[in-house]
């Protein structure tokens, strides 16, 4: 670096004139602050942003809100009127004595052709059945549905706290015409307390005009009760599909019947 450059670097910058200072103040006055600043609120003190809660009898201040516990509506099996008496297995001609605690295990191991599904109230379960392959004298079990969120203290393992309900079907004849009867059988909690459900049947195709052609809503058939199709038809305890309508819903026996189950 030359001496002239050193001398120039040491020369102090001239002070701004009064005119220049006035111009800077005018620019500051004309500057508009961001609009977000007009809507800001003063920050809360740390103590003002805490929530008050009582824990183990002592009042505490916490940075989060402690919500009160919500009592569960799920009851214990011992506090219900659900029957624990033995009953014959309703699947086909099995008739093996079962108890409520072992019914799901019995179906899973001894009736392996029956699918077992778990669902919650409000969910739907769809089953495709062939109504023309089942015998006319014995009811057929299409699916075992394990309903969660209704009971405690029932069963163990993967079947724990799940009420077992079986989707059944059979045929009966009335005035020379066959009818398919579908129903749900399950634990009996007594009159007025039996599980409510809806059963719907329709065409198994995406282009159908209506979701389901026929439907039934009501109480389940107790496992201890009769599983006879003709008797259930007379008592109105299930979904009845006449032969002519069944032929239409299966496209002249070329398609399976779609059945939808919905528990409340």
């Amino acid at each position: 670096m030359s001496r002239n450059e050193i001398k120039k670097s040491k020369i102090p910058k001239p002070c701004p004139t009064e005119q220049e200072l006035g111009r800077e103040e005018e620019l500051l006055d004309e500057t508009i602050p961001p609009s977000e600043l007009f809507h800001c609120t003063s920050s809360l003190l740390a103590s003002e942003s805490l929530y008050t809660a009582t824990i183990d009898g002592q009042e505490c201040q916490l940075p989060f809100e402690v919500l009160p516990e919500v009592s569960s509506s799920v009851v214990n099996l011992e506090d219900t009127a659900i029957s624990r008496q033995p009953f014959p297995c309703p699947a086909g001609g099995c008739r093996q004595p079962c108890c409520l605690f072992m019914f799901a295990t019995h179906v899973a191991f001894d009736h392996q052709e029956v699918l077992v599904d778990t669902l919650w109230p409000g969910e739907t379960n769809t089953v495709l059945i062939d109504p023309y392959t089942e015998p006319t004298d014995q009811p057929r079990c299409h699916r075992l549905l394990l309903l969660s969120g209704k009971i405690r203290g029932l069963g163990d393992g993967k079947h724990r706290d799940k009420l077992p309900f079986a989707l059944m079907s059979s045929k009966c004849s009335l005035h020379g015409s066959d009818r398919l009867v579908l129903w749900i059988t399950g634990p009996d909690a007594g009159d007025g307390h039996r599980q409510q459900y809806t059963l719907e049947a329709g065409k198994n195709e995406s282009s159908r005009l209506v979701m389901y052609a026929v439907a039934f809503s009501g109480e389940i058939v107790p496992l201890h009760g009769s599983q006879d199709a003709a008797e259930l038809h007379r008592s109105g305890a299930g979904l009845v599909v006449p032969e002519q309508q069944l032929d239409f819903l299966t496209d002249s026996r070329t398609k399976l019947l779609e059945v939808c189950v919905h528990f409340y």
Side-chain angles (χ1 to χ4, degrees), residues 69-75 152:
E69 292 186 2
V70 179
S71 59
S72 175
S73 60
V74 180
V75 297
R152 288 178 179 170

Side-chain angles (χ1 to χ4, degrees), residues 117-130:
D117 279 344
T118 300
L119 72 163
W120 291 80
E123 293 182 346
T124 57
N125 190 279
T126 302
V127 186
L128 298 178
I129 67 173
D130 185 353

Side-chain angles (χ1 to χ4, degrees), residues 139-174:
R140 180 183 176 188
C141 180
H142 296 279
R143 186 161 297 184
L144 183 67
L145 302 170
L146 304 179
L147 186 61
S148 299
K150 285 287 187 177
I151 203 74
R152 288 178 179 170
L154 173 63
D156 54 12
K158 62 181 180 180
H159 299 152
R160 182 175 179 81
D161 298 338
K162 297 179 177 66
L163 286 173
F165 295 94
L167 171 61
M168 310 291 297
S169 76
S170 187
K171 287 183 179 179
C172 67
S173 181
L174 183 64

Side-chain angles (χ1 to χ4, degrees), residues 87-92 103-104 107 114-117 119 127 139-147 163-169 182-187 197 199 220-223 227 232 261 263:
F87 55 87
C89 174
F103 180 50
V107 173
V114 178
L115 296 178
V116 180
D117 279 344
L119 72 163
V127 186
R140 180 183 176 188
C141 180
H142 296 279
R143 186 161 297 184
L144 183 67
L145 302 170
L146 304 179
L147 186 61
L163 286 173
F165 295 94
L167 171 61
M168 310 291 297
S169 76
L182 299 109
W183 69 96
I184 297 288
T185 183
Y197 76 101
L199 198 62
I220 59 100
V221 176
L223 284 165
Q227 308 293 325
L232 295 175
V261 185
F263 289 101

